[in-house]
Amino acid sequence: MNPFQKNDSKETLFLPVSTEEVPPRPHSFPKQPSPKICGSNYPLSIVFIVVNEFCERFSYYGMRAVLTLYFLYFLHWSENTSTSVYHAFSSLCYFTPILGAAIADSWLGKFKTIIYLSLVYVLGHVIKSMGALPILGGQMLHTVLSMVGLSLIALGTGGIKPCVAAFGGDQFEEKHAEERTRFFSVFYLSINAGSLISTFVTPMLRGDVQCFGKDCYALAFGVPGLLMLIALVVFAMGSKLYRKPPPEGNILNQVVKCIWFAISSRFKNNSGDNPKREHWLDWAAEKYPKQLIMDVKALTRVLFLYIPLPMFWALLDQQGSRWTLQATRMNGNLGFFVLQPDQMQVLNPFLVLIFIPLFDLVIYRLVSKCGINFTSLRKMVVGMILACLAFAVAAAVEIKINEMAPHQPDSQEIFLQVLNLADDEVKVTVLGDENNTLLAESIKSFQNMPHYSKLHLKTKSQNFHFLLKYHNVSVYTEHSVEEKIRYTLIIREDGESISSVMVSGRVCLISNNVSTLRFVNTLHEEVNVSLGTDASLIVGEDYGVSAYRTVQRGEYPAVHCRTQNEDFWLNLGLLDFGAIYLFVITNRTNQGPQAWKMEYIPANKMSIAWQLPQYALVTAGEVMFSVTGLEFSYSQAPSSMKSVLQAAWLLTVAVGNIIVLIVAQFSGLVQWAEFILFSCLLLVVCLIFSIMGYYYVPLKPRDVQGSTDKQTPKIQGNMINLETKKTRL
């Protein structure tokens, strides 16, 4: 998260409030004063704006919370592709605010921009939800609908991002500046409330609700879409109460034109006949006022310090992608509550609300009392170091997960497990091409084999010969296998002899945060198993083997089964996170059919709580880096350039997401090594930023204020004149 990403409470430090005296425009405001709330100085119109913001943030963060898992398990993309598309979407969400601000300032005004782009926003949610319906077309159609929907959502959320807060500030008269400041506290509290609730609730809609026999992504996307529709309706209901300043131009456009004119004039007058200018921006003096040029000079000093910043956002924004994928390989059972992998993201906004007052009221004051000059740039450096440590911890967690995870067969290897369903011991011998013994084991009846045996192949596929000794009978059989697959050799009685069947353990991409199971039916009639999903699982008679089926983690003491002649219930016990089970339906006792349980793949052993340290470190780094960074940069530039700083800050977030996209697609590293790479890259950037900060000479507040007092342009807009204020939670 970041200060201009509306989820963050640290946005409360920088408010889009005009510092200029604006002449009254009766034609754009209601003829009568706006009604007040309970006789106070707060206009009634702000209620609609606050509710709108809560619903919109619920919509955006709720949808984004489940996005990575949707790519991975619904569209069946790889982890790298899922990560890349997630960060491409996030990057687009931080490019489009520039477009939204230009539309609002130069053409439609804030109110119409919010209305029109909210319609685009709702349409994007509808299309995105349709792309999550399994019954609607195939994967290609789902992919197309998802990309179109996400593009519209990015345009909508980014387009209204710079408008809503500033539009709320417009509702107050200049004499009610104190009330306006308190409004922004409530406004950003609604942002955090929407983010916290949605990040916690939406993963539950995805994982705890089953539709079409799978996780209900359509519901997880549909509910945020409904909240965005409510946001639009509520905002429109207050139309007659709003003060609606007309568009008056965009300072960002003038800054870009001034810089471009200075550069082009510099190259056009490259001959020695022209006198040298003290600063390259002085070449714009022929067309632009001196005050604007001075302000742009001050701006470029700060923008130079922005160059290393994207690397920090590259690490911070991986909470919704790489860290969520890491959580899918961990055990979410906390004892008192079962946590979904995508619910871990709720830690960030929750810790932000705790850390901001903790740092401001306790930590910074203690450091100051120790006589340490903890400047803004030093705080930012410490924030970067904390983010480096967070990714080092994430790498350590990833290594531990890999150590505890079951090994997979490599090239020209298979893993073999023997399941003896005969009524007595069977000796199994695996023979090679030259009748040499590759494996010899004695397997008791219904013996639970806790391990696989590794067999090497000479080619990618090969036939193995098996010698089975049962009582005084020897049976030779042959089975074909392929590399990189787990196999189970099922031995069964066949009259007075035995026979065998080889079952492939090839499993399609299945979510690690659910349980997977299949059945072997030893009965002489077909069994219909109801697992609580929309479709039943049918297991053929006489040692028929079912397909794999995923279910939610939990206890299954009574699973209903039905044959042609009777109904019965099976006790499957606890089905844990990430485990793959084989159940053998038998009728060996007088108690009726029962299920014998064998674990193909063990459950995820590492608790998801081990992600807490990395979340705490990266959130602490975020509070020190982003809040302090904006506070410092805003203090170093005149008020006319605040909107340009906001645009530049948003662009650093966008570039940071692009960095993740590039690394995910082209690094080719294993996950723990990629975490180390990002940690080292940020450490190098931190050193560069420290050197840049060491040689940076801060402007004194009176110098900046002096520039502001002489300011002549009276341009206002939704990204302009951001007055630095501190508000209380």
Side-chain angles (χ1 to χ4, degrees):
M1 299 180 188
N2 60 78
F4 287 111
Q5 183 174 331
K6 291 188 178 179
N7 157 279
D8 296 351
S9 58
K10 74 271 305 183
E11 286 188 38
T12 57
L13 299 177
F14 313 105
L15 310 180
V17 180
S18 173
T19 58
E20 300 183 32
E21 291 295 329
V22 183
R25 294 187 280 284
H27 63 278
S28 61
F29 296 154
K31 295 181 180 180
Q32 298 181 352
S34 176
K36 306 297 183 181
I37 300 176
C38 300
S40 65
N41 292 324
Y42 295 94
L44 183 61
S45 57
I46 65 173
V47 175
F48 298 93
I49 296 174
V50 169
V51 175
N52 165 270
E53 187 65 12
F54 169 82
C55 295
E56 190 274 330
R57 289 292 88 186
F58 187 110
S59 169
Y60 174 73
Y61 282 103
M63 177 277 304
R64 204 179 75 159
V66 300
L67 196 56
T68 300
L69 299 188
Y70 167 79
F71 293 150
L72 188 66
Y73 299 130
F74 189 89
L75 296 182
H76 303 295
W77 291 352
S78 67
E79 290 191 359
N80 288 338
T81 302
S82 301
T83 300
S84 298
V85 177
Y86 174 89
H87 287 283
F89 167 72
S90 298
S91 178
L92 187 59
C93 289
Y94 287 98
F95 278 118
T96 51
I98 310 299
L99 177 61
I103 293 173
D105 288 339
S106 306
W107 181 25
L108 296 177
K110 302 183 191 73
F111 176 76
K112 289 184 177 179
T113 300
I114 295 172
I115 290 290
Y116 294 155
L117 290 183
S118 292
L119 289 171
V120 174
Y121 202 160
V122 172
L123 178 61
H125 272 296
V126 171
I127 295 175
K128 185 73 191 72
S129 300
M130 293 172 60
L133 290 171
I135 60 174
L136 189 64
Q139 183 173 350
M140 179 58 68
L141 180 60
H142 293 152
T143 302
V144 172
L145 290 175
S146 296
M147 294 302 101
V148 172
L150 288 175
S151 299
L152 295 177
I153 290 173
L155 176 60
T157 187
I160 68 175
K161 188 186 293 288
C163 302
V164 180
F167 187 69
D170 290 340
Q171 307 309 304
F172 291 85
E173 301 175 21
E174 290 300 320
K175 61 182 179 181
H176 297 146
E178 184 177 349
E179 287 80 2
R180 180 174 55 193
T181 299
R182 292 173 182 168
F183 156 74
F184 279 110
S185 296
V186 178
F187 180 84
Y188 291 109
L189 184 61
S190 71
I191 291 173
N192 283 280
S195 171
L196 276 168
I197 296 173
S198 66
T199 309
F200 186 77
V201 170
T202 310
M204 296 175 66
L205 297 176
R206 172 197 62 78
D208 295 345
V209 179
Q210 294 284 299
C211 53
F212 308 102
K214 300 179 180 179
D215 283 356
C216 201
Y217 288 99
L219 181 64
F221 290 136
V223 170
L226 178 62
L227 265 292
M228 187 58 221
L229 179 61
I230 294 174
L232 173 59
V233 172
V234 170
F235 184 78
M237 286 171 60
S239 175
K240 294 183 179 180
L241 302 176
Y242 296 139
R243 296 161 54 98
K244 304 173 184 175
E248 295 188 10
N250 193 334
I251 188 65
L252 177 62
N253 188 37
Q254 294 208 12
V255 170
V256 173
K257 288 181 178 179
C258 177
I259 293 176
W260 176 253
F261 184 81
I263 294 175
S264 58
S265 297
R266 174 69 181 86
F267 283 101
K268 287 179 181 177
N269 300 280
N270 202 23
S271 61
D273 300 335
N274 296 303
K276 292 185 177 181
R277 309 290 173 96
E278 183 179 350
H279 194 279
W280 62 272
L281 278 169
D282 291 333
W283 288 96
E286 286 80 3
K287 184 176 181 180
Y288 292 93
K290 182 178 180 181
Q291 185 59 49
L292 177 63
I293 295 175
M294 291 176 60
D295 289 349
V296 175
K297 287 180 181 179
L299 173 70
T300 55
R301 285 168 42 85
V302 180
L303 293 183
F304 178 71
L305 288 177
Y306 277 16
I307 294 175
L309 303 192
M311 199 65 231
F312 178 84
W313 304 121
L315 274 69
L316 186 69
D317 282 354
Q318 291 188 56
Q319 296 172 72
S321 57
R322 292 302 200 193
W323 285 14
T324 298
L325 294 175
Q326 183 185 69
T328 63
R329 299 188 294 274
M330 306 177 77
N331 195 317
N333 183 20
L334 301 179
F336 58 90
F337 185 78
V338 177
L339 201 63
Q340 299 288 343
D342 33 4
Q343 281 181 315
M344 284 298 290
Q345 300 172 60
V346 78
L347 281 175
N348 183 266
F350 177 74
L351 291 174
V352 161
L353 290 175
I354 296 175
F355 283 171
I356 285 182
L358 176 65
F359 276 72
D360 285 339
L361 302 178
V362 179
I363 296 178
Y364 291 156
R365 293 186 181 185
L366 289 176
V367 172
S368 177
K369 287 184 178 181
C370 293
I372 300 175
N373 184 19
F374 208 23
T375 63
S376 297
L377 292 178
R378 289 176 180 175
K379 292 177 184 176
M380 294 178 68
V381 170
V382 173
M384 289 183 175
I385 294 174
L386 289 176
C388 292
L389 293 176
F391 266 67
V393 172
V397 171
E398 186 71 22
I399 292 173
K400 192 64 178 178
I401 292 174
N402 292 340
E403 290 177 355
M404 301 175 70
H407 297 288
Q408 299 297 327
D410 294 327
S411 298
Q412 295 188 0
E413 282 183 356
I414 66 165
F415 287 170
L416 178 66
Q417 191 175 38
V418 180
L419 177 58
N420 180 13
L421 302 184
D423 63 356
D424 203 352
E425 183 177 81
V426 176
K427 183 177 181 181
V428 180
T429 304
V430 183
L431 303 176
D433 293 339
E434 301 176 355
N435 284 332
N436 54 313
T437 300
L438 302 179
L439 175 67
E441 281 188 300
S442 293
I443 314 295
K444 295 180 180 179
S445 178
F446 284 85
Q447 179 180 344
N448 197 339
M449 299 296 292
H451 65 276
Y452 282 85
S453 299
K454 182 190 297 185
L455 297 178
H456 294 276
L457 311 183
K458 293 183 177 179
T459 58
K460 291 184 178 181
S461 62
Q462 184 177 326
N463 291 338
F464 279 113
H465 300 275
F466 295 84
L467 172 61
L468 309 178
K469 291 185 178 182
Y470 171 72
H471 294 165
N472 296 322
V473 178
S474 295
V475 177
Y476 287 90
T477 183
E478 182 179 346
H479 295 288
S480 178
V481 295
E482 296 180 6
E483 64 176 358
K484 298 182 179 181
I485 300 178
R486 295 170 180 263
Y487 288 93
T488 300
L489 181 68
I490 299 178
I491 302 173
R492 62 179 186 174
E493 294 182 38
D494 190 3
E496 294 186 358
S497 182
I498 56 173
S499 60
S500 64
V501 59
M502 184 74 81
V503 178
S504 169
R506 188 196 303 270
V507 184
C508 297
L509 183 61
I510 294 174
S511 173
N512 286 290
N513 65 307
V514 297
S515 301
T516 308
L517 68 161
R518 72 193 311 184
F519 291 87
V520 175
N521 177 21
T522 67
L523 307 182
H524 299 300
E525 51 186 337
E526 186 178 86
V527 177
N528 191 307
V529 183
S530 299
L531 292 168
T533 57
D534 294 340
S536 299
L537 190 62
I538 299 176
V539 192
E541 71 275 9
D542 294 327
Y543 297 91
V545 182
S546 73
Y548 284 107
R549 180 61 55 87
T550 59
V551 295
Q552 293 299 313
R553 184 258 183 203
E555 293 280 352
Y556 290 81
V559 174
H560 179 252
C561 301
R562 186 176 66 256
T563 64
Q564 187 175 0
N565 299 319
E566 65 173 330
D567 288 9
F568 58 93
W569 283 262
L570 297 177
N571 180 9
L572 304 186
L574 173 65
L575 305 183
D576 212 346
F577 286 106
I580 302 179
Y581 300 97
L582 174 68
F583 289 95
V584 180
I585 303 174
T586 65
N587 191 5
R588 306 171 63 207
T589 66
N590 296 328
Q591 298 178 357
Q594 295 180 336
W596 183 69
K597 182 178 181 180
M598 188 177 77
E599 199 174 60
Y600 267 163
I601 303 293
N604 301 339
K605 296 180 180 178
M606 193 163 186
S607 173
I608 202 171
W610 284 103
Q611 280 196 321
L612 181 59
Q614 64 200 56
Y615 271 97
L617 284 169
V618 82
T619 306
E622 175 186 4
V623 170
M624 298 191 71
F625 177 88
S626 57
V627 177
T628 309
L630 273 177
E631 185 179 6
F632 169 78
S633 56
Y634 272 37
S635 69
Q636 297 298 294
S639 61
S640 64
M641 296 293 109
K642 306 303 185 189
S643 64
V644 186
L645 277 175
Q646 182 177 8
W649 190 272
L650 293 172
L651 289 177
T652 63
V653 181
V655 174
N657 280 274
I658 292 176
I659 292 174
V660 183
L661 187 157
I662 294 172
V663 173
Q665 282 292 4
F666 301 108
S667 70
L669 299 174
V670 295
Q671 192 54 67
W672 67 267
E674 186 179 293
F675 286 154
I676 294 295
L677 172 65
F678 275 110
S679 182
C680 293
L681 287 176
L682 182 58
L683 185 60
V684 172
V685 168
C686 179
L687 294 174
I688 296 173
F689 182 77
S690 301
I691 296 172
M692 294 169 63
Y694 180 79
Y695 289 101
Y696 180 84
V697 180
L699 293 177
K700 297 180 180 180
R702 62 175 178 270
D703 297 333
V704 179
Q705 185 62 39
S707 173
T708 303
D709 295 339
K710 297 176 184 178
Q711 179 178 325
T712 56
K714 292 250 180 188
I715 301 173
Q716 283 189 304
N718 53 0
M719 290 177 62
I720 302 173
N721 302 326
L722 300 185
E723 180 180 358
T724 305
K725 290 181 178 289
K726 289 191 176 182
T727 61
R728 298 178 181 176
L729 294 176

